[in-house]
Amino acid sequence: MTLGRYGKELAKRLRTLSDTEFVDEYGMPKEEIQVNLRTADTAAFGASSIQIGDSYVALMQRTQQGN
């Protein structure tokens, strides 16, 4: 179990305790995704790594908006 998952599980259990009014998680890292691209491979697709990154960002923004 990672430290992040442990923190979420602990917060979940603390919320079930009687007389617990509020539990918040501080210092939890945002989700991070790392993608490694080889320039030759991206060129074979006719795109640069920047174009692929921009496409991913646009996809994530549409997903968060529910589109």
Side-chain angles (χ1 to χ4, degrees):
M1 180 180 285
T2 66
L3 187 56
R5 276 190 251 159
Y6 177 78
K8 287 185 182 298
E9 180 62 29
L10 178 60
K12 184 172 125 182
R13 290 181 183 191
L14 288 171
R15 287 182 184 100
T16 65
L17 296 175
S18 61
D19 297 328
T20 301
E21 293 181 20
F22 183 73
V23 176
D24 199 3
E25 303 160 11
Y26 291 97
M28 296 294 286
K30 300 270 185 194
E31 182 178 17
E32 180 179 313
I33 297 173
Q34 179 178 351
V35 177
N36 298 313
L37 301 170
R38 290 186 291 225
T39 307
D41 292 341
T42 59
F45 286 110
S48 70
S49 57
I50 300 225
Q51 290 170 317
I52 293 171
D54 290 344
S55 296
Y56 177 77
V57 168
L59 174 65
M60 291 289 85
Q61 288 173 344
R62 285 193 309 269
T63 303
Q64 289 175 351
Q65 294 170 355
N67 296 327

